[in-house]
Amino acid sequence: METLEYPVKTREMHNHHFDSTAWNDFKFRDDDIIIGSYAKSGTTWTQQIVCQLLFNGEEHHNVGALSPWLDLRVPPTPVKLEMLEAQQHRRFVKTHLPVDALVYSPKAKYLYVVRDGRDVVWSHYNHHANANENYYAALNGPGLVGPPIEPPTDDIVEYYREWLEKDGFPLWSQFENVKSWWDIRDLPNLKLLHYNNLKKDMPGEIRKLAEFLEIPINEDKWDAIIEHCSFDYMKNHAEDSAPLQGAMWKGGAQTFIHKGTNGRWRDVLSEDDSKRYEDMAYERLGEECARWLLTGEM
Ligand code: A3P
């Protein structure tokens, strides 16, 4: 019988956001769910879906609090680990790490969601440009490794170009992140998701996701689950799902759950600027992975 090869951590990542060592002390349980993405790709949406499946469509579970971003430097790792250790329900934890900086456990089930980088940048620009003093105090505060994160330029095209040319700046590399997960797509405990597909057929995607996670769906609660995962519901109840109830942004949680649409760059980027992303995706990811990232098609 062929033995499966699970990835092994080969490096740590530290920057204004990351402390990848947080995973080194995490005690996995057999039914843990880990939700990964590069950033701004539908992570919170996926967390909300998982939360709704686990809690039978009940309202007002605070997803941001229940499902912390473990590799974020704040709140301190011991606080998050203790909180997760105390949870009695099936746990679902968020990460933005590439696979080689994570501890990948055969015990857990992993979901990894992607979105076209141009949509990611448009989403992140709103996130970054509306960051408040709590954001800068937390990310640039004690324990910072490397340069601090600075407020962004007021020109979104310039922001996009810098992201592309500096491989993810001021965050981390999207191509490296996506490729690391794509490369392990055949593992039985990983399911890849795409923002476009969630937009196109959320109910269908939720059913597949529930099957993968082995969560039986209570059909009496199905309509509630779908409603609570819709953009309008999440926008109107943004404090229930946004990280730290939106404390890091001017305008609060509703700034984080922003527009929920793709393609806002289409009328802003020149043909050349836009194509540069596609060309780089093909160059860095190879044909199949690039096509998936750009379209959602496998
Ligand atoms: P926009 O900024 O483009 O609106 P993440 O959780 O990975 O940071 O991603 C945040 C993005 O997901 C934001 O995109 C947010 O609005 C969007 N989002 C959150 N919930 C959503 C939903 N139910 N439907 C569509 N998009 C959603």
Side-chain angles (χ1 to χ4, degrees):
M1 207 173 78
E2 214 180 299
T3 43
L4 286 170
E5 285 219 18
Y6 283 92
V8 174
K9 182 169 189 161
T10 55
R11 60 168 170 154
E12 301 292 2
M13 281 180 84
H14 294 274
N15 56 36
H16 35 68
H17 281 79
F18 279 148
D19 172 9
S20 64
T21 65
W23 285 96
N24 301 350
D25 296 319
F26 179 72
K27 292 195 193 77
F28 282 93
R29 296 180 191 159
D30 284 336
D31 61 357
D32 281 337
I33 300 165
I34 315 298
I35 298 167
S37 79
Y38 164 70
K40 309 315 295 174
S41 303
T43 332
T44 315
W45 191 5
T46 308
Q47 288 171 289
Q48 174 78 355
I49 291 170
V50 170
C51 184
Q52 283 293 302
L53 287 171
L54 291 177
F55 293 103
N56 247 326
E58 289 165 13
E59 290 190 90
H60 308 310
H61 286 285
N62 193 310
V63 168
L66 287 174
S67 176
W69 173 6
L70 187 54
D71 29 281
L72 180 66
R73 298 199 306 106
V74 288
T77 301
V79 173
K80 281 182 277 189
L81 287 177
E82 200 177 311
M83 189 272 280
L84 286 165
E85 194 55 40
Q87 286 185 348
Q88 299 299 311
H89 56 79
R90 193 166 173 191
R91 302 184 301 183
F92 55 120
V93 187
K94 160 177 162 180
T95 181
H96 284 316
L97 289 171
V99 172
D100 53 327
L102 188 66
V103 176
Y104 192 96
S105 171
K107 284 187 176 183
K109 285 191 191 267
Y110 290 79
L111 300 169
Y112 182 73
V113 59
V114 297
R115 188 179 188 188
D116 185 306
R118 293 162 291 195
D119 295 309
V120 165
V121 171
W122 253 248
S123 179
H124 189 247
Y125 185 75
N126 168 68
H127 175 121
H128 191 176
N130 287 299
N132 64 20
E133 62 284 1
N134 299 331
Y135 173 98
Y136 290 103
L139 297 180
N140 295 337
L144 173 68
V145 178
I149 186 159
E150 306 286 358
T153 153
D154 54 16
D155 179 344
I156 195 167
V157 174
E158 194 185 308
Y159 192 76
Y160 164 79
R161 286 186 185 143
E162 197 172 22
W163 179 80
L164 208 52
E165 298 314 323
K166 293 193 190 163
D167 202 14
F169 181 86
L171 300 180
W172 36 90
S173 170
Q174 187 197 28
F175 295 133
E176 190 181 85
N177 203 289
V178 169
K179 178 98 172 41
S180 74
W181 288 89
W182 172 259
D183 284 347
I184 60 162
R185 66 195 177 283
D186 291 337
L187 287 177
N189 64 337
L190 169 62
K191 182 167 175 53
L192 300 180
L193 304 167
H194 199 295
Y195 187 96
N196 292 10
N197 297 333
L198 286 169
K199 288 284 293 181
K200 224 182 287 166
D201 177 19
M202 188 178 72
E205 290 292 298
I206 294 182
R207 288 214 181 263
K208 284 188 264 176
L209 207 146
E211 199 181 329
F212 169 73
L213 297 174
E214 298 172 278
I215 304 174
I217 292 172
N218 179 344
E219 294 300 336
D220 292 345
K221 302 292 179 195
W222 179 245
D223 291 348
I225 292 171
I226 297 301
E227 190 202 332
H228 300 159
C229 296
S230 69
F231 180 77
D232 289 347
Y233 180 91
M234 285 182 65
K235 178 88 177 173
N236 289 330
H237 301 80
E239 294 76 27
D240 290 343
S241 57
L244 307 169
Q245 294 179 292
M248 303 271 214
W249 296 276
K250 295 172 208 156
Q254 289 211 346
T255 299
F256 186 94
I257 309 291
H258 180 43
K259 295 223 156 135
T261 55
N262 282 337
R264 303 197 297 274
W265 41 272
R266 283 189 194 280
D267 294 334
V268 186
L269 288 180
S270 69
E271 187 93 13
D272 280 356
D273 274 323
S274 177
K275 190 161 179 302
R276 177 105 184 96
Y277 176 71
E278 295 180 16
D279 291 346
M280 282 182 81
Y282 276 95
E283 200 179 294
R284 297 279 302 272
L285 303 174
E287 185 152 347
E288 270 184 288
C289 179
R291 195 175 52 236
W292 171 59
L293 175 60
L294 295 170
T295 65
E297 287 158 25
M298 290 234 195

